[in-house]
Amino acid sequence: FIVMSGEKTVGMCLITNQIDIPEGINPNAPNISGFVANPFRNQGIGRVSIEERMQVVERNFDNRAWTFVRDDNLVSEHLVLSVGFQKTNREIEGWEGHHLFLYGDVES
């Protein structure tokens, strides 16, 4: 997805299961990720973006998804928690400094 604000491209979102999936995660559960560039943050654009992604997850991925959030990104952590992700304490090699968040029944 391309994230727009009016006529301007301000971010990007992705829903995919074509990346390295952490061990123990159902390979049919996609990773969702996204960002909104400065100075367009804190305007509700990220909220609309994640709500749209979650509709795709509901329709196409049996309400399952996972994502990483950088440890110091409290705004993103709040956003993913607010749509139903659960924070884990799992350490994932290559993703030091991030937490894994799970949505739905994604563990295999």
Side-chain angles (χ1 to χ4, degrees):
F1 298 96
I2 302 296
V3 179
M4 306 289 292
S5 178
E7 300 281 321
K8 295 183 180 187
T9 300
V10 300
M12 182 179 117
C13 300
L14 184 67
I15 302 171
T16 185
N17 54 9
Q18 301 297 315
I19 62 172
D20 289 334
I21 299 170
E23 186 176 324
I25 301 296
N26 182 323
N28 295 320
N31 170 266
I32 73 161
S33 59
F35 76 92
V36 174
N38 275 327
F40 298 95
R41 293 182 180 155
N42 298 314
Q43 297 179 22
I45 297 169
R47 161 75 47 208
V48 171
S49 167
I50 199 166
E51 288 174 355
E52 289 295 320
R53 282 179 277 159
M54 297 313 292
Q55 287 180 23
V56 172
V57 166
E58 180 181 341
R59 286 191 309 264
N60 300 299
F61 296 100
D62 201 24
N63 271 327
R64 297 181 213 167
W66 59 277
T67 193
F68 289 113
V69 176
R70 204 176 59 233
D71 291 342
D72 63 350
N73 192 339
L74 298 179
V75 172
S76 290
E77 181 173 321
H78 173 75
L79 195 58
V80 299
L81 289 171
S82 74
V83 296
F85 279 86
Q86 300 294 314
K87 186 176 184 177
T88 73
N89 288 322
R90 290 179 52 189
E91 301 275 335
I92 307 296
E93 186 176 336
W95 285 95
E96 293 80 9
H98 291 75
H99 269 87
L100 173 66
F101 289 76
L102 306 177
Y103 182 83
D105 183 21
V106 298
E107 297 184 280
S108 56

